[in-house]
Amino acid sequence: MTSTPRIRARSFDAAAPLYSANRPGYPEELFDALEVLAGRPLRGARVADVGAGTGIATGRLSARGADVVAVEPGDGMAVEFRRAHPRIPLVRGDGDRLPLATSGFDFLTYAQAWHWTDPARSVPEARRVLRPGGALALWWNDMDATVPWIAEQDERIRALFRATGATFRALPVGLAFTTREVRWSRRIPLDVHLANHASHSAFLMLGPAGTREFLDEERARLMPLFPDGTVEEQYVVSLSVAVA
């Protein structure tokens, strides 16, 4: 299956409620690490959360006391964002064309979103909108493949999509990033675990029939491991921060 990153990114619009209901959040320790690497607190900081989606990260940044504006290109995601976070400002745009004032922000955050940008455009835009000493923060939240059942499931997903181990999440050159890993977990119903997978772009592009077939097989495989129907998903958040 082939598709452009922009088409895959916009696939979320049709599944915004699914995304909002089933995607994992982020642990408090992630935002502690962000403050340490940036060298300043979020409280009182001016923050732009780019590719905000339904606002999973944006809401947490606001709860830490940041003055946050969200940037989101997708219609469906924007509707879901405004439903969940009516008091947080939302502007339409993406990382390649930020509708933000020059030198106006202390933090520019990308939660699971930097890989949808073109670094040739998004890096200059990040430099433009950050104040001197401001921080560009990129993070990705992945299930922990050191856990055997997660590693086995990951192999099945790779086989389904004929994926390799190569990543398209390379950090942009020309910026001095410091990286930290934060491990955490959540306990959820098996149905939520499966719906979380269904909300990912690869499955959205695969379509309902293929997704349903794969996830039905996953349910049969996982039920013996989690007979009470509750799955403990273990995660690793990879956080990278560069100070301008």
Side-chain angles (χ1 to χ4, degrees):
M1 180 177 61
T2 60
S3 59
T4 68
R6 187 169 295 276
I7 291 172
R8 286 188 62 167
R10 293 301 176 89
S11 70
F12 295 119
D13 276 327
L18 178 73
Y19 188 110
S20 181
N22 299 290
R23 282 294 181 102
Y26 300 106
E28 205 64 32
E29 291 80 4
L30 169 63
F31 301 99
D32 294 339
L34 173 56
E35 292 180 330
V36 169
L37 296 184
R40 64 156 298 159
L42 286 162
R43 182 165 297 280
R46 183 71 169 146
V47 179
D49 186 34
V50 186
T54 62
I56 295 171
T58 322
R60 298 299 300 279
L61 291 163
S62 179
R64 294 283 294 219
D67 178 13
V68 188
V69 60
V71 180
E72 170 55 40
D75 294 340
M77 299 295 257
V79 167
E80 201 65 22
F81 182 99
R82 290 187 173 110
R83 182 193 64 77
H85 304 287
R87 293 181 176 83
I88 298 178
L90 172 67
V91 296
R92 306 300 301 280
D94 59 39
D96 297 341
R97 295 167 295 276
L98 291 171
L100 303 172
T102 298
S103 300
F105 293 85
D106 302 299
F107 289 84
L108 191 62
T109 61
Y110 284 81
Q112 314 256 120
W114 179 261
H115 53 275
W116 301 124
T117 75
D118 174 2
R121 297 180 179 182
S122 56
V123 170
E125 279 291 85
R127 292 184 184 277
R128 180 182 65 80
V129 304
L130 283 171
R131 294 169 178 161
L136 172 63
L138 323 176
W139 67 83
W140 289 273
N141 193 32
D142 297 300
M143 293 185 69
D144 186 353
T146 66
V147 179
W149 76 265
I150 293 175
E152 292 167 6
Q153 183 180 75
D154 187 59
E155 284 301 314
R156 292 190 293 270
I157 292 172
R158 289 183 184 278
L160 175 67
F161 296 109
R162 297 181 176 86
T164 68
T167 179
F168 58 114
R169 298 177 178 179
L171 296 177
V173 298
L175 295 169
F177 283 96
T178 304
T179 298
R180 294 285 186 275
E181 289 188 345
V182 178
R183 283 177 161 77
W184 70 288
S185 66
R186 66 171 185 166
R187 291 177 58 82
I188 55 171
L190 177 56
D191 284 346
V192 174
H193 169 74
L194 297 173
N196 174 26
H197 282 300
S199 75
H200 285 253
S201 62
F203 283 101
L204 295 173
M205 297 297 294
L206 178 64
T211 296
R212 184 167 53 251
E213 179 181 359
F214 180 83
L215 295 183
D216 284 348
E217 292 172 356
E218 282 302 294
R219 183 190 305 278
R221 290 189 180 100
L222 295 178
M223 277 303 298
L225 294 177
F226 304 103
D228 67 349
T230 299
V231 176
E232 182 172 7
E233 291 182 336
Q234 292 171 272
Y235 286 92
V236 181
V237 186
S238 299
L239 167 68
S240 296
V241 178
V243 177

